[in-house]
Amino acid sequence: MTAIKSFVFPGLRSRVVFGHGTIAETGAEIEKLGRGRSLVLSTPNQKADAEALAGQIGGLCAGLFTDATMHTPVEVTERALAAFKQSGADCVVALGGGSTIGLGKAIATRTGADQVVIPTTYAGSEMTDILGETAGGEKTTRRDPSILPETVIYDVDLTLTLPPALTITSGLNAMAHAAEALYARDRNPIITLMAADALKALAGALPALAKDAGDRKARAGALYGAWLCGTALGGASMALHHKLCHTLGGSFNTPHAETHAILLPHTVGFNSVEVPDLLAPVSDALGGTPGAALFDFAGSLGAPTKLRDFGLTESDLDRAAQIATKNPYWNPRPFDRESIRALLQDAWEGRRPPQ
C-alpha cells in the first residue's frame, strides 16, 4: 500500500450540471444564483447561438456581447465592460470556448458579477480560477477566487457540431491540463486521480470522434474528460507547458488549442526525464514513454505537429525563449533559455520526442 503524504485539497467550488440538453437549465441556474439580468457572451462565429440562448431565457437576458476574441485582449474586455454596465446586467452567461469563457472571467473579476458558463469545446477553462489576458503584445496570467465561475452547464449536445479538427486539438488542449496537474508543485492524490481518469477518458474518446464526429457516447466521454482536466488544472499550479503556450499565444497570436496540441509532447517529454513516475498515468492511458506516446497519439488523430505551420519563424523562437524565461513558472525540471530554445526548435520542426 502506498504511503499517503500530507496534502491540501482546495475542494470543488463550482456547481456543475452535466448531461444532454442541459442548456435548457440556463434560466433556472441564473435564478439559483439570485440573479435576474444576464449579459450573454459569445464570439462572432457563435452569435446566432447566443441570440437563440437569449431568446430562450427571455427576460433574464439584459443584452448580448458577441465580440469575444482569442487570448482575451484587454481592449475587447473594456468594450464588454461598457456593454455590461450599460445593460444593467448583474451576471454573465458565457456560451462558447476558451475565448468567450475568458471574457466572462475578465468581466467577473472586475465587477464581482456571477458567471454561468456553457462550454462548447473541451478547453477546460471553465473549471479554473485562472485568467490569461493580452496587452502590449504579451499575455499575462493570474489566479483569484473572483475569476472562478459559479456555475458550469455541460451540454453534450452542444459539442456534436464541433468541427472534427477542433475536436481533436481542443481535446489535446484538455489533456495538457491533466498532464501538468500530475507533476504540479501543489498536486494532491485527488487531483492525480482526476487527471489520470481524464487522460483515459480522452484517450478513448478522441480516436472514436476522429472516425465519427457525431458519436454521442464518445462526445459524452470527451466532455467528461475535459471537465476532469479543467478541474485538475483548477486545483493545481501551471508549469512549463502553459508558460510556453501563453508566450506563443500572447506574443505571436498562435491559435490556442493547436499550440497546446503541438507543444504537449515536447513539454511532457522534457519533464518526464525528471519525473517519469509522476507521468506514469500518461503512459498508462496511451502506452510508451509519455512524450513520444503523446506525439504518436496526436499524429494518429491528424493533429498539427509543427509550429512552423502557423507562420512562426526560427527568429520568433529566439524571442519566445527569451520571453518564456523572463518570468518563468515553477517546473519540476530546471530549464534555461538554451534548453527552451531547443525544445521550441523540436516543436517547430515536428520532431518526435525521445522520451
Side-chain angles (χ1 to χ4, degrees):
M1 181 177 178
T2 303
I4 302 298
K5 300 179 180 179
S6 298
F7 66 88
V8 174
F9 177 59
L12 303 177
R13 293 162 286 164
S14 296
R15 174 178 168 83
V16 171
V17 180
F18 189 102
H20 291 270
T22 49
I23 193 171
E25 303 298 320
T26 304
E29 292 301 322
I30 293 172
E31 291 174 335
K32 278 186 173 68
L33 291 170
R35 304 300 181 183
R37 294 181 58 80
S38 63
L39 181 67
V40 177
L41 309 173
S42 78
T43 61
N45 287 340
Q46 292 184 290
K47 180 179 180 180
D49 296 325
E51 289 173 340
L53 177 59
Q56 175 190 308
I57 62 177
L60 294 172
C61 177
L64 291 91
F65 184 88
T66 59
D67 288 333
T69 304
M70 186 170 63
H71 304 307
T72 320
V74 170
E75 60 268 22
V76 175
T77 298
E78 290 172 349
R79 289 197 288 116
L81 279 168
F84 179 83
K85 293 172 183 176
Q86 185 175 8
S87 71
D90 57 15
C91 65
V92 295
V93 174
L95 174 66
S99 299
T100 305
I101 294 167
L103 178 60
K105 289 178 167 185
I107 294 172
T109 194
R110 288 168 168 82
T111 64
D114 285 344
Q115 303 171 70
V116 175
V117 176
I118 309 169
T120 58
T121 70
Y122 305 129
S125 172
E126 65 278 356
M127 293 305 300
T128 77
D129 60 355
I130 303 165
L131 173 61
E133 299 181 284
T134 305
E138 291 193 18
K139 189 171 186 176
T140 58
T141 62
R142 60 191 174 96
R143 303 185 83 140
D144 189 88
S146 65
I147 294 169
L148 183 71
E150 281 71 26
T151 303
V152 180
I153 299 174
Y154 287 105
D155 188 337
V156 177
D157 295 346
L158 298 181
T159 66
L160 292 172
T161 56
L162 193 63
L166 183 55
T167 293
I168 299 306
T169 54
S170 184
L172 291 169
N173 177 13
M175 293 178 80
H177 304 333
E180 287 237 296
L182 290 172
Y183 53 65
R185 177 170 45 182
D186 51 358
R187 64 188 179 275
N188 64 69
I190 309 304
I191 293 298
T192 297
L193 284 171
M194 289 183 171
D197 200 33
L199 291 167
K200 289 179 181 177
L202 286 160
L206 292 182
L209 292 173
K211 295 177 182 178
D212 178 8
D215 185 330
R216 290 171 64 86
K217 182 178 179 182
R219 285 290 182 189
L223 194 58
Y224 166 76
W227 167 58
L228 288 177
C229 288
T231 304
L233 182 66
S237 300
M238 297 180 292
L240 174 63
H241 174 81
H242 281 82
K243 181 64 176 183
L244 291 180
C245 289
H246 294 159
T247 297
L248 293 178
S251 298
F252 302 92
N253 203 37
T254 57
H256 184 81
E258 290 84 347
T259 302
H260 277 274
I262 293 170
L263 284 178
L264 180 59
H266 301 280
T267 52
V268 165
F270 180 86
N271 282 328
S272 70
V273 173
E274 187 76 17
V275 289
D277 54 329
L278 297 182
L279 283 164
V282 177
S283 297
D284 292 343
L286 300 175
T289 55
L294 282 164
F295 186 86
D296 293 343
F297 181 65
S300 73
L301 299 173
T305 58
K306 301 175 183 178
L307 287 175
R308 66 183 177 189
D309 289 344
F310 293 99
L312 285 173
T313 66
E314 290 190 87
S315 62
D316 289 334
L317 304 185
D318 295 331
R319 182 171 166 234
Q322 180 180 8
I323 295 171
T325 53
K326 183 170 60 175
N327 294 299
Y329 294 172
W330 176 90
N331 194 64
R333 180 182 175 185
F335 61 86
D336 54 21
R337 185 181 177 280
E338 288 70 28
S339 59
I340 294 309
R341 178 61 179 79
L343 185 158
L344 290 172
Q345 183 71 32
D346 287 345
W348 188 79
E349 295 179 8
R351 186 179 297 136
R352 185 176 187 264
Q355 298 292 330

